Amino acid sequence: MEKYMRDRLSIKQGKFQLSTRAKIMLFAALVAVLPTSGFCTASLILSLNYVGSTTATVSHPTSIPWLTEKSQCQRTHRTWRDEKCWDYEHNPMF
């Protein structure tokens, strides 16, 4: 009866005892998860930075169909070539 009362008392007080093996497993899981998630986060941030820096330097020329005359094209600071108006500052993300 005394052991039963002690068990009930420990449950009421919220004492939850983990075995040494469970503690080691929990610690190993945390040690594995933290560096992995840190690596994934860092690679995501670096890849976003890389995409932002490369898209600004890459040229994607685009023909502007509504500018049909050389004077109109040059007035908008674009390039007239092959009877078409070309925009060299076109952003493919637009």
Side-chain angles (χ1 to χ4, degrees):
M1 182 74 167
E2 185 178 321
K3 182 179 180 326
Y4 175 73
M5 293 301 283
R6 252 187 294 149
D7 290 343
R8 283 186 54 138
L9 183 61
S10 68
I11 291 171
K12 276 187 178 179
Q13 292 176 351
K15 293 182 180 179
F16 179 69
Q17 297 289 331
L18 285 177
S19 68
T20 305
R21 181 177 288 170
K23 289 179 185 177
I24 291 171
M25 296 291 280
L26 182 62
F27 180 73
L30 286 175
V31 166
V33 167
L34 289 177
T36 303
S37 62
F39 174 76
C40 291
T41 303
S43 64
L44 175 67
I45 290 170
L46 290 174
S47 70
L48 291 176
N49 189 22
Y50 176 74
V51 168
S53 67
T54 57
T55 56
T57 59
V58 176
S59 177
H60 297 278
T62 302
S63 174
I64 310 298
W66 59 88
L67 296 176
T68 58
E69 296 178 5
K70 184 177 181 177
S71 61
Q72 292 174 329
C73 181
Q74 290 174 340
R75 193 176 318 127
T76 59
H77 305 288
R78 293 182 174 103
T79 305
W80 185 260
R81 187 180 50 138
D82 300 328
E83 298 298 317
K84 291 183 182 178
C85 186
W86 292 92
D87 182 7
Y88 286 91
E89 297 179 12
H90 178 71
N91 185 350
M93 302 299 283
F94 177 66

